[in-house]
Amino acid sequence: MASDNFQFEIAATPQCLLKVNSAWGIKTYDLSNGMALSKDFFSDAGQHFLTVWCNYRKVESKTLTISSLKPHGKIESYVGSKSIPADNGLHWSMFTVLPVDQYNNMVVDNSSIYINILRPNGQRFSKNVNTKDGIGYLKISSKTRKGKTLISTTSGNAYGKEKELLELPNFPRKISIKAESDILYADSRQFLKIITKELFDLYGNRVSDGTLISFKVIDSKGNSSFYRTYAMDGLASVNIQNPDYPGKLTVVAYIDNLIQSQSLILNFKPYVTDFKVNLGPNSEYLTIGPVIGPLRQLVSDGKEATVFFEESKIIKKGIIRDGYAEVEIPKTIFKRGKIVVTMGGLQKRINF
């Protein structure tokens, strides 16, 4: 057995040599005087091949086998994968231990190792495994409760550190969405929050923070836009821009293109209900306004008006400030003709 030291005798004439061949290489000792072998010769487990040479001739050879001791000190252990879905046994992780004796030798096969496990659902159990080729291992299959599985290992007076295996929620079993408000006006300067209902996996675990949720928005003209956000505390939300013109908006949420929500149909009412168009005092500008909203109020600043001069096919734009906008009349056209003013889906045709 591995030891700090032990004694053995070699009967040989003074002119002889001892050669020791081990895993660490070959060492030669002169037998003319008493000698001391290095400490690792006695403590390193394995086979040592001893040969005595006299006058350049091998006289005798023997094999000395040193066996390792029981596990001692700290037991090294590893968990991989570090996390698995809590999907009732579809996924698993491996817990591996590498026990050594007091001289850091790999322990002999069939050394008993006890693995202690505490699952997220409170279940606690121990499993005895035997080492082979220096290691012991245990396959840990997933359960249905999310949380931390705690693992430790012991063998006699040898102990390992506590290890963690994270059991994470799986994909949500479904996703459902709704609009936060029922007041829907076609004002592109406003945003509407779309929120999900709380997301759970098949076993009732709330989904992990950071789960990616994608939203597809289709307007009444068939144009699509995409938004992405992440779940926090089981919920996800996104702010989508209101359309500039009245009509239907369809919103659908996706998770990895595997799970799809219902189609949420949103009906946006006109935000601009009326406006007037007049020639300015010097007849070089069109004055648009007052622009009135659904509550008989002046619409918000920043609303855009589009003016189309039919005779010359020229398009001009104006921005509403304090309920009014001014649009310069192109100097290249005659001071007469027809114009079309469009704002928020409302259109007026005017002769000037």
Side-chain angles (χ1 to χ4, degrees):
M1 306 298 292
S3 174
D4 289 330
N5 61 75
F6 56 83
Q7 294 182 347
F8 62 93
E9 292 184 355
I10 298 176
T13 59
Q15 292 79 22
C16 295
L17 300 174
L18 171 66
K19 288 186 178 181
V20 179
N21 188 350
S22 64
W24 300 104
I26 299 176
K27 293 182 179 180
T28 302
Y29 300 89
D30 187 351
L31 298 179
S32 299
N33 300 301
M35 63 177 183
L37 298 177
S38 58
K39 183 178 179 180
D40 58 9
F41 178 84
F42 308 103
S43 60
D44 288 347
Q47 288 187 326
H48 300 273
F49 301 97
L50 311 179
T51 57
V52 175
W53 295 75
C54 298
N55 296 321
Y56 305 103
R57 183 173 61 88
K58 183 168 69 174
V59 177
E60 189 174 358
S61 62
K62 287 189 180 296
T63 300
L64 178 64
T65 301
I66 298 180
S67 299
S68 57
L69 305 176
K70 294 180 179 180
H72 179 83
K74 185 180 74 172
I75 300 177
E76 294 290 344
S77 58
Y78 304 92
V79 178
S81 303
K82 298 291 187 180
S83 62
I84 55 176
D87 53 13
N88 200 26
L90 294 179
H91 287 80
W92 51 270
S93 180
M94 188 72 75
F95 181 68
T96 306
V97 295
L98 288 83
V100 295
D101 68 10
Q102 67 190 73
Y103 300 109
N104 211 36
N105 293 310
M106 181 174 67
V107 299
V108 296
D109 286 352
N110 294 318
S111 294
S112 292
I113 305 293
Y114 287 91
I115 298 174
N116 307 299
I117 298 177
L118 177 61
R119 304 307 293 259
N121 61 4
Q123 181 185 8
R124 182 173 182 173
F125 67 94
S126 297
K127 180 74 173 181
N128 178 52
V129 299
N130 293 325
T131 61
K132 179 175 174 56
D133 299 326
I135 66 171
Y137 59 88
L138 179 65
K139 180 178 175 181
I140 302 175
S141 297
S142 63
K143 295 292 186 180
T144 59
R145 177 80 65 86
K146 73 171 185 177
K148 292 181 180 179
T149 287
L150 303 180
I151 315 167
S152 68
T153 181
T154 61
S155 180
N157 293 324
Y159 300 90
K161 289 185 176 181
E162 178 186 286
K163 297 293 181 177
E164 293 182 355
L165 169 63
L166 294 179
E167 297 190 61
L168 304 176
N170 212 332
F171 284 112
R173 65 178 182 270
K174 65 178 181 178
I175 180 172
S176 182
I177 57 176
K178 63 179 181 179
E180 190 177 53
S181 175
D182 294 326
I183 303 174
L184 306 176
Y185 287 106
D187 178 11
S188 60
R189 293 178 57 80
Q190 303 297 324
F191 289 84
L192 174 67
K193 180 178 284 189
I194 303 297
I195 58 178
T196 67
K197 293 184 179 180
E198 197 165 9
L199 301 170
F200 296 96
D201 69 7
L202 182 62
Y203 300 101
N205 298 303
R206 193 166 63 184
V207 299
S208 299
D209 290 349
T211 299
L212 179 64
I213 314 293
S214 300
F215 293 84
K216 182 178 181 181
V217 181
I218 306 172
D219 66 15
S220 58
K221 296 181 180 180
N223 300 315
S224 298
S225 56
F226 297 88
Y227 299 80
R228 289 184 174 87
T229 188
Y230 298 94
M232 292 294 293
D233 296 326
L235 298 171
S237 65
V238 67
N239 291 318
I240 65 172
Q241 187 176 20
N242 289 18
D244 194 42
Y245 40 83
K248 290 183 179 180
L249 211 64
T250 303
V251 184
V252 182
Y254 299 88
I255 300 178
D256 280 355
N257 291 324
L258 298 175
I259 302 171
Q260 177 179 327
S261 73
Q262 86 283 13
S263 293
L264 180 64
I265 308 297
L266 306 171
N267 292 298
F268 284 85
K269 301 175 182 178
Y271 179 59
V272 177
T273 60
D274 193 19
F275 62 85
K276 295 181 179 181
V277 181
N278 297 291
L279 282 174
N282 55 11
S283 299
E284 293 181 357
Y285 290 87
L286 289 175
T287 300
I288 303 171
V291 182
I292 305 302
L295 300 179
R296 305 302 299 167
Q297 84 279 23
L298 295 177
V299 299
S300 302
D301 289 353
K303 192 69 178 173
E304 187 177 74
T306 301
V307 180
F308 176 57
F309 296 87
E310 285 191 340
E311 299 295 331
S312 59
K313 310 299 183 184
I314 294 176
I315 297 176
K316 290 277 189 174
K317 293 184 181 295
I319 303 299
I320 302 299
R321 294 285 186 273
D322 296 327
Y324 290 82
E326 283 191 341
V327 177
E328 184 180 8
I329 299 174
K331 296 179 180 180
T332 58
I333 68 171
F334 296 105
K335 296 294 183 68
R336 59 185 173 80
K338 295 180 179 181
I339 63 173
V340 179
V341 181
T342 305
M343 189 185 315
L346 181 63
Q347 188 177 91
K348 289 191 176 184
R349 299 174 65 90
I350 299 172
N351 295 319
F352 76 99

